[in-house]
Amino acid sequence: MQTLISPSLLAADFTNLKTDIEMVNNSQADWFHLDIMDGVFVPNISYGLPIVEQIKKIAEKPLDVHLMIIDPDRYVEAFKKAGADILTVHYEACTHLHRTIQNIHSHGMKAGVSLNPHTPVSVLEEIITDIDLVLLMSVNPGFGGQSFIENTYAKVEKLVQLIKEKNASVTIEIDGGVNLETGKKLVEAGANALVAGSFVFRSDDPNQTISDLKNL
Ligand code: DX5
Ligand code: ZN
């Protein structure tokens, strides 16, 4: 099975967003990765609902929305309305994670749970069969262009094991510092989806870079 590629628009040129969205539409990418930051859960603010709505109008692939915000339950409905297809929340930001997952599913979206680099995979033991995707952070969330944390490979292997033990059907997506080298090792470890921001949008030929990642 080929790896799913989700280019992160955080690294796109926002003065020419339409051009970058069309590039992704015409590429081998599978999803659009949208990073929503509130300046509280992470030390940065990105963009919000009005931008997601505009992106939805021209994006021809599912929106993979990564919420780096506290108490995300409050915004599940709003992100559905804005066009999210996959909604991922942080384990560290949810007091009642199971309820949040139910909320996401009740709005007809796929539900993902993201783990910060310090959070062990084992916290997902009781919820792994209820979710569609796990997003492992391979950098500390908040910024693009950071370097990859090597411990992520071991986390992917532990997650593969947990999924097997629980007989769950979950996409393993990795976010942060993904390039051809880290991407290859991640796929070998068992990842099925890769987010890439800087590596795609700062390259000379983003379309070709997406295809290189796709065909690792
Ligand atoms: C970081 C975001 C990432 C970011 C990845 O908080 O969740 O999606 O855009 O950027 P790169 O690929 O540049 O590390
Ligand atoms: Zn992200």
Side-chain angles (χ1 to χ4, degrees), residues 50-131:
I51 303 286
V52 178
E53 271 171 38
Q54 298 305 313
I55 293 171
K56 185 69 178 179
K57 286 184 188 161
I58 49 172
E60 293 166 4
K61 298 176 182 190
L63 302 190
D64 166 33
V65 178
H66 176 194
L67 296 184
M68 285 161 274
I69 66 174
I70 56 159
D71 201 4
D73 227 30
R74 295 172 298 159
Y75 293 99
V76 168
E77 188 174 4
F79 277 98
K80 170 66 189 180
K81 282 188 180 147
D85 297 280
I86 304 158
L87 198 61
T88 295
V89 296
H90 265 264
Y91 168 81
E92 301 85 2
C94 297
T95 310
H96 300 287
L97 182 60
H98 190 271
R99 180 180 290 148
T100 307
I101 299 304
Q102 283 180 321
N103 189 9
I104 296 171
H105 280 151
S106 76
H107 285 88
M109 294 179 284
K110 298 244 191 253
V113 174
S114 185
L115 300 183
N116 277 337
H118 73 275
T119 305
V121 160
S122 58
V123 300
L124 298 173
E125 228 175 275
E126 307 306 331
I127 203 152
I128 195 79
T129 52
D130 299 306
I131 61 183

Side-chain angles (χ1 to χ4, degrees), residues 8 10 33 35 37 66 68 137 139-146 175-178 195-199:
S8 167
L10 194 64
H33 187 81
D35 289 300
M37 306 179 185
H66 176 194
M68 285 161 274
M137 293 309 301
V139 297
N140 285 292
F143 305 93
Q146 303 181 82
D175 190 3
V178 169
V195 174
S198 323
F199 187 63

